[in-house]
Structures are given as C-alpha cells and as structure tokens.
Amino acid sequence: THSHLSSRASGAFAVPRKQLLEEPVDEDDPATAHELPASAALPSKGHPTLLGGQPTGLKSQSWAPRVDSHLVSLRRRSSWSGDLADQQRAWAMRELIEICGPQTRGRRKAAALAYEAQCRHFPRGNPKIAAAYARLAGELHDTERLAATAFLVGLFDGLANVQVDPTAVSRRVDAEDWHALEQCVNHFISHKAVTLDHSTFEPLDESLMRETLAEFPSMQARAEAFLQALHPVAEVLLPRLKTLQRRIPDTARPFAVVRDLMQKCTPPCGASIEGAVVEAFHVARKAEHGLHFPAIHFLSAAWQREPRSAVQFHHMGQNLGVVCWALVELGSLTNRA
C-alpha cells in the first residue's frame, strides 16, 4: 500500500522558485531524459484539457479503440445541454480529447518516460500557475494545503476545462480534508482493477484478458470493481466541491461532473458500463508532440514520481479528472448510441 501523499511528498514543496522555472535539459534527447526535474508538466495552450476522440458505442465484447483517427470530433454525438458558457466549454473539451489505440504492457513504462520529458513544459505552458505554486510554497509553509490546492486546480482542468487561480483555491482549502481525499485517491490508483495488466484494459488481447480473468470472473466484474474503487473518491470530493462552487462560481461545472460520476459509480451498474470503463483506460489529453498515452498512465506516472512538487499533484488531479470526465461524458454517449 502506498503511503499518504503528504508523507511521500515531505519536503517536495520546498522547491525554490528558480527550480520551478529554470530551463531544463532537452526532453527530446534520450541521453538526458533522466536529468529532467520533477517540477514541470504538460503544456497548455488556451485550455489544455482534452482532445477530440470518438467513443465507439459498440458492445464491450467487440469493443476496440480507434487507431485510424485519433481526433474525431464528438460534437455530432452529444446532446448535452446547459447554459451557453458551460456548453461552449463542453464543446471545447470534446475537441481536445482523443481515444488512444490498443495499449500493451510496455506502454505504461513508456508513458512514465514520456511524462518525464513532458514535465519541463509546465512552467512555459502554464506560467501563471507555475508562478502561483512557487509563491504559495514560500508563503504557506504547509505541504498538505499546497498539495490539496494543486490537486484541485488540476482536477478542475481535467474535469471541465476550467482553469482556476491557485491562490483563490488555497484560501478555501481545508488541509484536514486532504487526509481523507489522499487515502481515497491512493486506494483507487493502487487498486488491482486499475493496475492489472500494467494498467491496460484490452478485451481483444487474449493474453491480457487471460490475466484479467484470473483475477476477475468477467470483464464486467473488472469494470464494476474499477467504479467501486473510484466511488470513495467521488464521495469525498462531492461535498468539498459543492462548498467551493459557492465561493468560486467557475467550479460549478466540475462539481456537476463529479455529481454525475457519483451516480455512475453507485451500484447497480448497467450492462454498458464495461465499454465506458474500457474507454476510460484509453482517453487522453492531446499530446503536444504527438505522443498518445492514456491519461491513466500519466496519472500513475505522476503518482509514482519522487520527489513530488505541486506540479505532480496538479497532474494527478488533472489526469484523474480526464478519466472521470470520460466515464461521465463518453459513457453517456455510449448509452445514447
């Protein structure tokens, strides 16, 4: 079992601003990839949350991720309604989502290396957020509060393409609440429904499916276990986001997504949930350099990163948000197909 985020991150936030913003080595050079710092992340242009992919809408037994077109628009598939601002944000997210092709055991390890390479872009792609984290690290002297702040800021981005001022979030975060949240996130990331087969879920890969069926009686059972592991995360987040959205109106849409996620994770699960969970294992943020790794692999990479800065907690929230968004939005599309 992983230790708490706060204990594993001890001292990780006492990173001087210079380290957060300094220019690292070239991420494209394999010989220097190991020298990349912990304090950077994925780039962002405008609102960097999700890319344009297409749920298949097929039954789980015949499900296969699209390899021929990673950037198929979801506009035609959606009947989501809401106020104009939220609807525009939802469209923007669908245009920024992709569904990655079939994954193999080695992809998670490759994603970890790619994550190291991508980390250096965070200060350049997110200069205001990087500067805010550096400033808060010096002002708060509270690693748990900073971890909670960065996690939530990333989560809002991943859930609903909402970028919130870290300082505003830090003023409204209760560090005591972080303990319950970190335990739930740790439980989810380390759950065998997530980690099995190196965090892949490929119903058409016979060798990987043999390993899955050695642990679970069926693909549906693994999908249900995945949602059961995620349920406590949604349960802890929901009241906290409800409070935050009263203070920070921009967080209303992320709150709505988590509310829908809570319903999705509550038994009994429908027969179509297997396809939605499989897609959640393949959904990804659009890669700046054409790298197509699922968000769940980057979530794992950020979680295992040592030492951790605020950026790693930001990435955990961000990639977890992408996975949760996929379960709610792509799952609902599949159900309507």
Side-chain angles (χ1 to χ4, degrees):
T1 302
H2 293 283
S3 58
H4 293 335
L5 295 182
S6 55
S7 61
R8 293 186 62 187
S10 178
F13 298 111
V15 178
R17 182 169 181 174
K18 179 179 179 182
Q19 182 176 342
L20 269 175
L21 302 179
E22 69 183 357
E23 193 69 19
V25 295
D26 186 1
E27 80 277 15
D28 296 322
D29 184 357
T32 58
H34 67 282
E35 299 177 19
L36 290 165
S39 57
L42 297 173
S44 81
K45 293 183 177 180
H47 291 294
T49 311
L50 305 161
L51 339 179
Q54 179 183 7
T56 64
L58 300 179
K59 293 183 179 180
S60 58
Q61 289 81 357
S62 60
W63 187 93
R66 292 183 62 93
V67 185
D68 55 328
S69 178
H70 286 281
L71 301 173
V72 178
S73 175
L74 292 173
R75 288 176 183 266
R76 297 178 183 177
R77 297 292 304 279
S78 176
S79 61
W80 186 86
S81 60
D83 64 47
L84 182 59
D86 277 352
Q87 192 168 7
Q88 289 175 336
R89 182 174 290 117
W91 288 136
M93 289 181 63
R94 287 174 174 83
E95 291 300 315
L96 293 174
I97 274 286
E98 68 178 359
I99 303 297
C100 297
Q103 302 297 301
T104 62
R105 291 185 182 88
R107 290 288 285 175
R108 187 174 70 171
K109 184 176 181 180
L113 295 175
Y115 175 71
E116 292 292 329
Q118 291 279 0
C119 274
R120 93 185 202 98
H121 292 280
F122 191 86
R124 291 187 300 173
N126 306 270
K128 293 182 179 179
I129 294 178
Y133 288 156
R135 184 173 61 254
L136 289 172
E139 294 175 356
L140 294 179
H141 302 291
D142 186 338
T143 59
E144 292 183 346
R145 189 173 170 191
L146 182 55
T149 296
F151 182 89
L152 289 173
V153 170
L155 185 74
F156 296 146
D157 186 16
L159 282 173
N161 198 25
V162 171
Q163 296 184 346
V164 182
D165 178 14
T167 302
V169 175
S170 71
R171 292 172 182 160
R172 295 164 176 83
V173 165
D174 185 352
E176 293 299 320
D177 290 341
W178 178 238
H179 295 295
L181 178 57
E182 68 178 355
Q183 289 179 22
C184 293
V185 173
N186 176 68
H187 172 71
F188 171 70
I189 294 177
S190 59
H191 195 280
K192 66 180 181 179
V194 176
T195 62
L196 192 63
D197 301 331
H198 296 256
S199 296
T200 64
F201 198 173
E202 300 292 341
L204 300 184
D205 187 313
E206 293 184 3
S207 64
L208 292 176
M209 285 305 95
R210 279 196 295 270
E211 295 183 24
T212 294
L213 294 176
E215 295 287 342
F216 295 97
S218 66
M219 303 299 106
Q220 176 78 7
R222 180 181 178 182
E224 292 177 358
F226 181 92
L227 293 182
Q228 290 169 8
L230 188 57
H231 183 276
V233 178
E235 191 173 33
V236 169
L237 278 173
L238 195 61
R240 287 152 182 80
L241 297 192
K242 184 176 183 180
T243 300
L244 273 176
Q245 62 102 16
R246 292 171 182 163
R247 304 287 186 87
I248 307 176
D250 284 346
T251 64
R253 179 57 186 160
F255 166 73
V257 176
V258 173
R259 182 187 58 206
D260 292 344
L261 177 68
M262 185 75 174
Q263 296 176 351
K264 178 79 68 175
C265 294
T266 301
C269 300
S272 64
I273 197 60
E274 181 187 331
V277 171
V278 171
E279 286 181 334
F281 272 83
H282 293 81
V283 72
R285 293 165 48 86
K286 187 174 183 179
E288 185 76 5
H289 299 295
L291 300 174
H292 301 290
F293 292 102
I296 201 162
H297 286 173
F298 280 128
L299 170 61
S300 176
W303 183 265
Q304 295 175 7
R305 186 68 161 81
E306 295 286 0
R308 293 177 185 155
S309 73
V311 172
Q312 276 68 56
F313 289 100
H314 179 102
H315 281 153
M316 284 182 238
Q318 189 177 54
N319 287 289
L320 179 63
V322 172
V323 171
C324 294
W325 181 91
L327 286 168
V328 171
E329 296 292 339
L330 300 188
S332 64
L333 295 178
T334 300
N335 290 342
R336 290 195 294 267

